[in-house]
Structures are given as structure tokens and as C-alpha cells.
Amino acid sequence: MIAHNVVGITPLDAWREGVQTLLTRGEFFNLFTTVEQPAAFDLSWLQTHSPRRRGSGRDDLREVIKTIFPYDLAQRTTDRQDLYNEYLY
């Protein structure tokens, strides 16, 4: 089983890189995503890129994000190390 890593500066950059990788290379069972600045976030992304907005009837992007990224916690931290410290301890 091969793992692949994608990297982006912001969460949106990393998501786009992951999508492009999947579209180009096909399905992965282990797609690791590195976000250089995880606290960098623009609320408009939730509207612009939500599957629900695109008429697919799927989950709202906000609900998906809550399961994989602690957004509320990220809002209370100033950088990656603070986020990790709060999340892990």
C-alpha cells in the first residue's frame, strides 16, 4: 500500500492539492495532508466550496470540517504550535 503526501500553505491550498492528486492518480487509501499555516482560514471558503451549495445534496462543508479539524479551537490559537498544544493536552 502506497501513501502519498500533499502540502499546502492554507487549508484550502492543501485541499485543492489533495483533490488534484486524487483526480490525477486515482483513489488513495493513505493520503496525508500537511497544512503549513493551519490557522489561516477564510470563512468564505465554507460557502464557495461546500458540496451542498453545488447541488449534490451532500453534507455541508462545515459539518465535514468539524470531524477532521477543530475549527473552534483553531480560532483561539495564534500559530501551529499553540494549536497542537491545545489539541493534544
Side-chain angles (χ1 to χ4, degrees):
M1 189 177 306
I2 296 174
H4 187 77
N5 185 52
V6 295
V7 179
I9 294 174
T10 67
L12 180 59
D13 295 334
W15 175 77
R16 286 179 172 158
E17 187 66 29
V19 168
Q20 187 61 42
T21 298
L22 293 171
L23 290 172
T24 304
R25 296 181 162 200
E27 184 175 330
F28 277 88
F29 290 101
N30 294 299
L31 180 63
F32 297 99
T33 305
T34 301
V35 180
E36 299 290 332
Q37 296 175 10
F41 188 74
D42 183 336
L43 283 173
S44 70
W45 297 343
L46 298 179
Q47 293 296 323
T48 304
H49 301 287
S50 178
R52 184 175 290 168
R53 180 172 178 192
R54 299 189 182 273
S56 67
R58 300 193 183 234
D59 289 336
D60 184 70
L61 192 56
R62 292 172 193 264
E63 297 304 315
V64 175
I65 288 172
K66 285 180 190 178
T67 66
I68 59 174
F69 187 77
Y71 174 73
D72 291 335
L73 180 60
Q75 289 293 86
R76 297 191 309 266
T77 59
T78 57
D79 60 29
R80 180 185 285 214
Q81 192 58 51
D82 285 347
L83 176 63
Y84 290 167
N85 288 340
E86 288 294 320
Y87 188 77
L88 296 174
Y89 303 107

